Amino acid sequence: MSVHRRTKLRVEGDIVVRGALDLGAQWPGSPYRQNGYLQVAPGGSLEVTGIFRFFTGLQVAVEKGASLALGSGYINSDARLFCFNSVTIGEDVAIAEDVMIRDSDNHEICGRPYPSAPIVIGNHVWIGMRCTILKGVTIGRGSIIAAGSVVTKDIPPNSLAAGVPAIVRRSGVDWR
């Protein structure tokens, strides 16, 4: 695991890195950005099975009893990933800058506990700039999520999804 300077790391839970984890790297050719933080609360867990990079400005929090599983790929600058339940990101995943991934509403509504549900991002997925991925969704293998989309429902494999909320615009896509 490599942690670039000015990136804060607070680990009270478990981290298992079978591959490599790079935190706070500068995107080649981009202007300087403030580095962020990775926090794993007591009872939380982070597992990395491949080579995964978070670029500058990261805000990643794994709360008590939650699990974050990373395959391989990257999340570009200014990403925010908040895990209160379970977030799984597959292999060969490309996530653009300023993306929000949240598996919980994170607050009570009318005295009811906050709803939370796992997020699964499949292998070989490309998520565009400024997307929001919300609780309880699965993004299928090989899919593309267009820039600015808000994903509130499952996206089938090899689909292009776009919009607020995101809907499937094309099936049978292959981005590589």
Side-chain angles (χ1 to χ4, degrees):
M1 177 166 58
S2 64
V3 180
H4 294 261
R5 65 188 179 125
R6 293 184 300 278
T7 300
K8 296 175 184 170
L9 184 63
R10 183 174 176 185
V11 179
E12 298 175 277
D14 298 322
I15 292 185
V16 176
V17 179
R18 292 192 176 89
L21 180 62
D22 190 10
L23 300 170
Q26 186 75 24
W27 186 266
S30 71
Y32 171 78
R33 292 193 166 137
Q34 184 65 28
N35 282 346
Y37 67 87
L38 169 71
Q39 175 180 315
V40 181
S45 68
L46 166 62
E47 180 179 4
V48 184
T49 56
I51 298 171
F52 206 92
R53 293 184 95 180
F54 284 96
F55 288 89
T56 55
L58 66 131
Q59 295 178 35
V60 179
V62 181
E63 296 300 326
K64 182 179 179 181
S67 64
L68 172 59
L70 304 172
S72 65
Y74 66 87
I75 298 181
N76 205 329
S77 303
D78 300 322
R80 291 168 309 286
L81 193 160
F82 299 103
C83 180
F84 293 84
N85 184 311
S86 170
V87 175
T88 302
I89 298 176
E91 302 291 328
D92 191 30
V93 173
I95 299 177
E97 65 185 273
D98 204 21
V99 168
M100 167 78 76
I101 300 171
R102 256 191 121 83
D103 69 354
S104 173
D105 289 345
N106 198 38
H107 57 83
E108 291 183 3
I109 298 175
C110 300
R112 295 184 202 132
Y114 59 86
S116 181
I119 293 173
V120 177
I121 298 172
N123 296 338
H124 195 60
V125 168
W126 178 12
I127 298 175
M129 182 186 316
R130 292 193 175 101
C131 286
T132 301
I133 314 298
L134 296 177
K135 69 181 183 302
V137 301
T138 296
I139 300 174
R141 174 183 176 74
S143 290
I144 301 168
I145 309 300
S149 297
V150 177
V151 181
T152 61
K153 296 189 186 318
D154 291 352
I155 304 299
N158 299 103
S159 297
L160 169 64
V164 179
I167 60 170
V168 174
R169 307 286 181 163
R170 186 176 303 151
S171 298
V173 299
D174 183 13
W175 62 275
R176 286 209 183 169

